[in-house]
Amino acid sequence: MTGNVVFLGFALAGAEGLSALASVVSLVAFLTGAPAGGRFGVRFAVHRGRLPASAMAAQAVLFAGALGTIVAGHDKVGAADPYTLIVLLGLAMGLRNAVARRLGVPDLTTTVLTLTLTGLAADSGPACGAAPRPGRRILPVLAMFLSALVGAVLLKIGLSLVLAVALALLTTGAAILWRLSVPGAGWAAAP
């Protein structure tokens, strides 16, 4: 959402090719999805496995709606209703971020990659730091890079393929997490 705040400022200043309305709609959708994620966090607080599984299932429903919208528009954003896409994906993003925040895994920031990179460098040996958990800090950077690379390659084929792959990953992840989070699973107990 940092980008949308910046794009909104640029659009209001008259920058070409940026839509103030699209940025506002995206921010509002995100800020609507985040409280839903907060409610998921309260409802499933006692079981850390059911929380991400349920959130991923809800995101899958939103992504399915986005995929249906883009398929109805013949795989062209201009032919589909872009605001429907913005709302559905903004809701999913807000939900995901609130759940990730609730899970609170140390050093695993989902949307502030700059902070992760700063911690990696500032706490490193050359900076006279102890370099705690470098793997946990490098992994999200690598995951974001690879996701962007694969997403860009798939986008050359079509937006519906990107959404279909994301939907498949969400559905598979939710099913696996739900299966692994049977009642009494020691790893899933609330801290």
Side-chain angles (χ1 to χ4, degrees):
M1 288 296 110
T2 303
N4 277 308
V5 171
V6 172
F7 292 154
L8 178 59
F10 287 162
L12 292 176
E16 288 186 41
L18 296 175
S19 167
L21 180 59
S23 292
V24 168
V25 168
S26 182
L27 286 164
V28 168
F30 178 86
L31 293 172
T32 302
R39 290 186 62 90
F40 268 76
V42 170
R43 184 160 196 278
F44 296 102
V46 296
H47 202 291
R48 291 173 61 86
R50 294 289 164 100
L51 173 57
S54 299
M56 289 174 90
Q59 289 176 82
V61 170
L62 294 166
F63 268 75
L67 178 59
T69 300
I70 202 68
V71 167
H74 306 288
D75 208 18
K76 296 195 181 356
V77 175
D81 180 11
Y83 290 100
T84 300
L85 292 172
I86 291 169
V87 168
L88 291 170
L89 297 175
L91 288 167
M93 187 178 196
L95 175 76
R96 183 213 53 214
N97 279 19
V99 168
R101 178 177 165 81
R102 174 65 71 154
L103 289 171
V105 177
D107 299 319
L108 187 62
T109 55
T110 59
T111 56
V112 189
L113 202 57
T114 303
L115 184 60
T116 301
L117 289 168
T118 301
L120 188 62
D123 297 338
S124 68
C128 299
R133 300 174 300 274
R136 209 186 313 187
R137 292 178 176 183
I138 292 170
L139 190 60
V141 175
L142 184 60
M144 187 168 285
F145 170 76
L146 291 175
S147 297
L149 182 64
V150 170
V153 169
L154 293 176
L155 192 56
K156 289 181 178 183
I157 299 169
L159 182 56
S160 60
L161 180 60
V162 174
L163 290 171
V165 168
L167 177 59
L169 290 171
L170 285 167
T171 305
T172 302
I176 290 170
L177 278 170
W178 195 265
R179 177 70 180 119
L180 291 175
S181 60
V182 294
W187 69 269

